[in-house]
Structure formats: structure tokens, C-alpha cells
Amino acid sequence: MEIADLLKLQTLVLWSAFAVAVAFGFIAQRTHFCTMGALSDIVNMGDWTRMRTWGMAVGVAMIGFHTMAWLGWIDDKNTIYASGRIIWLSALVGGGLFGFGMVLASGCGSKTLARIGAGSLKSLVVFFVMGFAAFATLRGVLAVLRVNTVDRVAFDIPAGSAVPAWVASGFGLDPTVTGMLVALLVGGALIIWALLGPDFRNTNNLLAGGGLGLVIAAMWWVSGHLGFVAEHPETLESVYVATNTGRMESLTFTAPMAYTLDWVIFFSDTSKVLTLGVVTVVGVVVGAFVQAQLSRSFRWEGFRSTEDTALHLVGAVCMGVGGVTAMGCTVGQGLSGLSTLSLTSMIAVVGIFLGAIGGFRFQMWLLERE
């Protein structure tokens, strides 16, 4: 492969990732897909319908990811979620911060982007604050604090953090076959659980669960198969083009928000190039905007009060710091991470759920105080 061919491939990968992100934004806006909303329904009404949608999306993404690994289309060991170092405290604390923040900010990172596309100016403010906090936690003063505190508390698993890798290592089995079988078992159970809900089986829920699960799998294919180059023409090493991590990536939104701000601010710096993270952030907004226009639901929205503004700003900071610390958000760890059956992702999701419950209780305390 020549440099010119590599540049053409990079362009194709970026456009493909953008198209997948547009589909995510369109479906999320059309179906009102929201992890925070699903948790709120459970806590406040005991209704699991929207959580079944989330579970179906995880199950579909999980089966899709491990099917591609079994077919040899992608290498399931080349994701950030496959690392053998389990930074469990970072995942738990970061997840807790993110979950608490998304309640205060009226939704997670993906919901924030979808709302921007539908006309929410307060979500635009959340985006800027969240991206700033995320960048400070990636490379700024908060990064130093993160690396020297919670990131130090960890343990190592030689086989890697993915559950199928442990099973395969312990019983001497083929890792990809084991992954496929575990994904069919766990993912299939999640899909069946979702479908058993009497109120679940309607077009919107099926589109959200099945469609978004396929979108996550599609992004794994774009990054891990289409964007994989076995031998870079200059370094002669294998590379995943247009990624921020150097590994294959699927959808996640906390760190990409920071990368988007960095790209916009330093646009004239030739070292700042478009990546999957940046184009997916833009793609979700575009997809949500298209759906909002088609459904005539586009509405300008601002903050209701000073307190509403303050809560959203605090929530945005918590999401930016927590999402980077936990290495992902409700989509990054919740859908993309869980699709790999990563232990770290499971811990992060537990943290997010616990943090969200804390956020709901905090909101109730504020209401009672009034």
C-alpha cells in the first residue's frame, strides 16, 4: 500500500464512521433512546421497558462483535477494553461520577448530542463544559490527579479482561469460538429478556434495541476491518487508521467530545487531523437534526432558571471527568464495552448505575427542600 492509498482509505473510513454515527443519532432521536431515562423509569415507576431496550442493544452488539471475531473480520484482542490490567477503582469511581452527572445534566453524552441536533441550547453548553472537563482529565491537571490516584489501584489478568478469554485460557479452548458461544449465551439471553416484556414489543423499541445494537457492531467493522492496515507504508507496522487510541474503536462520546474541541480550536495546526471520534460526534448531531426536522420536533430550548443552569454545569463536569476516568460513557462502556464482554466495562456500568441512583436521590432531596 502506498501513502496515497492510505489517505484514500482514511477518507473512506471517516465517511463510513460518519454515516454510522448519523444512523445512531437518527435512531436515538426517533426512539428517545436514553439510558438515564431507562434508569429513571425503574427507580420512580418500577417500569423496565426502556431498560429492556438497552439490554437488547447490548445483546445485539455483543453477538455482532463476537461473530465478526469468529469469522476473522476483526481481532477482538485489539480494543482498549481487552487490556489485561483491570483499573477497577477508576471504572467504579469514574462510572459513579458519570452516572451522577448525567442525571443532573438531563442525559448522557449521546443524549446531549442528540438534543443539540433537536435544538437544545442548554445541551450545547453541556457539550462544551463536558468536553473541557474531559480534556483536562485526559491530558490536563486532572489527568495528573487521575493517574496518581485511582488509576494506581488495579490488578492484572494475563488472559485479558474479556470473560471469554478467561474461559478459553482456563479450559484450553479456542478464544474466538469461546467468545462466540458466550456471546450467543449472554447476548441471546438479553435479547430474549427484552422480547418477553409485554410492553416492549413495538416498532420504536425494536428499532432502538436492534438498530442501535447493529450500529455499534457496524462501527466495530468500520474501525476494525475496513480501517485495518496490516503494514503501514512508512512504519511497516499494523495500524487502525483514523483512530485516537491506535486500536479499533466503536462508538463512545466523552473523550471524542474533547478531541472535537481540540480539533476545532487548533484547526490550523496540521498535526490535528480528523479521527473517528470527531466525525462520530458530528454525525450523531446531524442524524438527530435530520430526524427532528422530519418529525417537526425541532425546538429551541434554553435553561429554565439559575439553578437549572448550575445543575447542568455540575453534571457536565462530572460526566467529563467521570467518562474519561471510567474509559467510557453509557455508550462507550455500556454498549461498545459490554459488547466485548470486558470485566472493566461491567464494573464501569455498575458504577454508572449506582451514580445515577445517587443523582436521582439528590434531585429528590432538592425537591423536598423546596
Side-chain angles (χ1 to χ4, degrees):
M1 176 178 286
E2 301 294 331
I3 290 294
D5 298 323
L6 185 67
L7 293 174
K8 289 179 181 178
L9 176 62
Q10 181 172 307
T11 301
L12 176 61
V13 168
L14 290 172
W15 276 112
S16 300
F18 177 76
V20 172
V22 168
F24 183 97
F26 185 92
I27 295 172
Q29 178 64 22
R30 178 182 175 85
T31 62
H32 305 291
F33 180 83
C34 179
T35 307
M36 188 207 74
L39 290 170
S40 177
D41 288 351
I42 296 171
V43 172
N44 297 318
M45 299 181 290
D47 183 0
W48 286 76
T49 302
R50 285 207 280 179
M51 184 53 69
R52 291 178 188 273
T53 302
W54 194 83
M56 184 176 189
V58 172
V60 171
M62 189 181 294
I63 292 173
F65 176 84
H66 286 282
T67 297
M68 289 187 288
W70 176 62
L71 292 171
W73 294 357
I74 61 174
D75 185 347
D76 58 355
K77 298 183 293 299
N78 280 333
T79 74
I80 61 169
Y81 310 107
S83 170
R85 185 163 180 79
I86 311 299
I87 50 173
W88 64 270
L89 187 60
S90 295
L92 197 59
V93 171
L97 271 174
F98 186 91
F100 185 82
M102 76 176 182
V103 173
L104 300 189
S106 303
C108 63
S110 63
K111 190 66 176 178
T112 295
L113 295 175
R115 281 185 169 148
I116 291 172
S120 175
L121 296 177
K122 65 180 181 180
S123 291
L124 184 62
V125 174
V126 169
F127 164 77
F128 281 113
V129 175
M130 182 178 171
F132 175 81
F135 201 89
T137 313
L138 278 168
R139 299 180 183 175
V141 62
L142 295 178
V144 177
L145 180 64
R146 169 179 58 82
V147 170
N148 289 300
T149 54
V150 289
D151 280 3
R152 289 183 175 272
V153 183
F155 61 90
D156 296 313
I157 300 179
S161 67
V163 173
W166 312 347
V167 178
S169 178
F171 292 94
L173 303 174
D174 180 90
T176 55
V177 174
T178 305
M180 183 65 191
L181 293 175
V182 175
L184 286 172
L185 180 64
V186 177
L190 285 170
I191 294 171
I192 292 171
W193 171 70
L195 292 173
L196 287 176
D199 298 325
F200 174 82
R201 296 184 295 274
N202 61 53
T203 304
N204 258 12
N205 290 337
L206 292 172
L207 175 61
L212 294 180
L214 289 173
V215 164
I216 296 297
M219 188 61 77
W220 280 126
W221 183 87
V222 168
S223 172
H225 183 75
L226 180 63
F228 177 68
V229 176
E231 189 176 283
H232 191 283
E234 291 181 337
T235 65
L236 304 182
E237 296 178 348
S238 61
V239 63
Y240 292 95
V241 302
T243 62
N244 289 107
T245 63
R247 303 180 185 184
M248 66 174 177
E249 302 171 354
S250 190
L251 290 174
T252 187
F253 296 110
T254 307
M257 285 186 180
Y259 297 139
T260 301
L261 292 181
D262 183 49
W263 182 78
V264 171
I265 293 170
F266 295 102
F267 177 77
S268 61
D269 185 344
T270 55
S271 67
K272 303 296 181 180
V273 296
L274 279 176
T275 61
L276 264 72
V278 175
V279 299
T280 53
V281 165
V282 178
V284 171
V285 175
V286 171
F289 175 77
V290 171
Q291 165 56 27
Q293 291 294 331
L294 291 175
S295 62
R296 298 184 179 180
S297 60
F298 184 92
R299 298 288 185 276
W300 294 114
E301 178 190 21
F303 293 107
R304 297 188 307 273
S305 63
T306 302
E307 182 180 277
D308 186 39
T309 305
L311 289 174
H312 277 78
L313 294 180
V314 172
V317 171
C318 288
M319 284 200 293
V321 175
V324 170
T325 302
M327 294 199 311
C329 54
T330 52
V331 173
Q333 287 285 28
L335 296 183
S336 298
L338 286 183
S339 73
T340 71
L341 288 164
S342 164
L343 174 61
T344 304
S345 298
M346 297 174 191
I347 297 171
V349 169
V350 169
I352 290 171
F353 286 5
L354 292 176
I357 292 171
F360 293 136
R361 290 182 176 175
F362 176 71
Q363 284 187 329
M364 288 300 299
W365 176 79
L366 288 178
L367 290 173
E368 291 169 358
R369 195 182 64 165
E370 293 176 357

